[in-house]
Amino acid sequence: MKTTAGTTVLVRVLVQDDLEQARAASALLEQAELMAIPLPVLWLTVLRAWAYPCSWSANFDATG
């Protein structure tokens, strides 16, 4: 399957704040044989990680 990942999909996988949605986003990414990530989406995702590092790192610590 070919897919385009949006900001919400990438953030759901990284943040894991809603387990049901995070699992769905992870499954989508795992099933993709080819994935496009538009540059603005990639930039917004990186910008969020930089702007809110504490909230993201807390989620990473909690999920392993």
Side-chain angles (χ1 to χ4, degrees):
M1 160 177 60
K2 297 176 184 177
T3 187
T4 302
T7 304
T8 304
V9 172
L10 297 177
V11 170
R12 286 286 179 227
V13 170
L14 293 171
V15 175
Q16 302 278 320
D17 59 341
D18 182 309
L19 289 180
E20 185 178 338
Q21 290 183 10
R23 287 182 185 133
S26 294
L28 175 71
L29 297 180
E30 289 174 9
Q31 294 172 2
E33 63 185 56
L34 181 65
M35 179 180 17
I37 302 174
L39 287 177
V41 170
L42 184 60
W43 175 246
L44 284 173
T45 305
V46 170
L47 184 61
R48 285 184 187 185
W50 175 77
Y52 304 105
C54 295
S55 63
W56 285 36
S57 62
N59 285 317
F60 283 132
D61 293 341
T63 58

